[in-house]
Amino acid sequence: MIIQIRQGTEQARLESLLAWLRSQGIDPHVSVGSHVTLIGCVGDVSHIDIDLVQALDVVESVQRIQEPYKAANRKFHPDDSVIDCAGHPIGGGNFQVIAGPCSVESEEQVVGIAKAVKAAGATLLRGGAFKPLTSPYSFQGLGKAGLDMLLVAKKETGLPIVTELMSQEQLELFDDVDVIQIGARNMQNFDLLKEVGRSTRKPILLKRGLSSTLQELLMSAEYIMASGNPNVILCERGIRTFETATRNTIDLTVVPVLHRLSHLPVVIDPSHATGVARLVHPLAVAATAIGADGLIIEVHNDPPHAKCDGAQSQTPEMFAETMKVVQSIRPFACR
Ligand code: PEP
Ligand code: MN
């Protein structure tokens, strides 16, 4: 962190700022120029409130040199993290496809879809049992019964399961879940992030919030990692913009940008990013080509009658077509 001191600042006031920085465990190095005085802060500044420093009378400007996230930062962990999802590694050249319905609706539905997506090449099964829907009048998910149906599908197909956790109280039901999804609406539920950091080592699929920056996404990953769980997978599912042609707006450059900033794997969700089933295929293909570490795709046997997100759900046939192209781009990576 570099602090530029306001011109004309009295020495005594500068000294008192230096004393405060030292009291925060920082070693301040002052460089006095003819017009500008700078303080270079050496040491761990992650706990310093930059806005507070910026607001001081004697401060002209403050610049952070280092990102505020450490555990998720590639600078401190140059190699890609490879996250083991129940025998299916993701990251570091390993590519996985997670597919399944938005919500679990019945045992027959989820088992049927699981078999179809497995046959097409998916390596993990998704399905929501606890649903974070915008309207309280919409289907809220089958809860515990839905989890049990996912477990049946896992038993029948061998596909590990990925499902969303909405609150700490549900965690005791998640013993047999393989990957815990934290949804976009909970990306900044810090108590929930701390809990999945503290109490489990299961992989956490962390979705980007509807209007969150990449730095905020990485800070949320940092919450989980700093609490003890290093197994975080970042998921881009589009953000809210002024554009209305698609449900959300996705910028696929997040993949190389996140890969540069962080060692964590990056998964793209073309279903929530577009909200339109026919757009899922081209986006999935592009995400694969740009270097994503995986995809998460909604598939439904009967989209017009789906209890949620039918408009963006691929049929098993559409998914199989998408997988053919995805596998032609990443022929050996999907295991
Ligand atoms: C989902 O995966 O069904 C979901 C609700 O996703 P998001 O949190 O990205 O909206
Ligand atoms: Mn959905």
Side-chain angles (χ1 to χ4, degrees), residues 74 79-85 88-96 232-233 259 263-267 291-294 330 333 335:
R74 192 178 279 281
D79 296 334
D80 287 344
S81 275
V82 179
I83 311 293
D84 176 24
C85 300
H88 299 272
I90 187 158
N94 302 285
F95 182 85
Q96 305 295 340
V232 178
I233 300 163
H259 278 161
H263 50 90
L264 298 172
V266 180
V267 162
D293 301 289
R330 301 286 300 257
R335 297 178 215 157

Side-chain angles (χ1 to χ4, degrees), residues 95 97 117 120-123 281 295 297 314 318-328 334:
F95 182 85
V97 178
V117 297
T123 44
H281 175 89
L295 301 170
I297 298 181
Q314 287 191 318
M318 292 166 85
F319 177 70
E321 280 305 307
T322 298
M323 284 305 290
K324 270 191 215 149
V325 182
V326 164
Q327 284 171 328
S328 72
C334 203

Side-chain angles (χ1 to χ4, degrees), residues 102 126 131 272 298 309 312:
C102 178
R126 66 150 287 150
K131 292 304 300 177
H272 294 86
E298 288 187 342
D309 286 352
Q312 67 193 34

Side-chain angles (χ1 to χ4, degrees), residues 218-245:
L218 290 167
M219 290 308 287
S220 291
E222 191 77 10
Y223 259 95
I224 300 169
M225 299 173 88
S227 306
N229 185 353
N231 300 314
V232 178
I233 300 163
L234 304 170
C235 179
E236 169 62 282
R237 40 77 77 212
I239 53 171
R240 180 166 292 179
T241 68
F242 53 81
E243 182 55 71
T244 54

Side-chain angles (χ1 to χ4, degrees), residues 43 52 64 83 85 97 100 135 170 182 184 195 207 217 280 289 315 331:
L52 187 109
R64 242 187 225 286
I83 311 293
C85 300
V97 178
S135 167
Q170 293 157 0
I182 300 292
E195 190 58 26
K207 297 188 106 182
L217 172 64
V280 170
T315 59

Side-chain angles (χ1 to χ4, degrees), residues 101 105 108-110 112-113 299-304 306 313-317:
E105 296 172 12
E108 193 192 0
Q109 173 241 20
V110 74
I113 295 173
V299 178
H300 198 281
N301 53 315
D302 182 11
S313 296
Q314 287 191 318
T315 59
E317 295 72 29

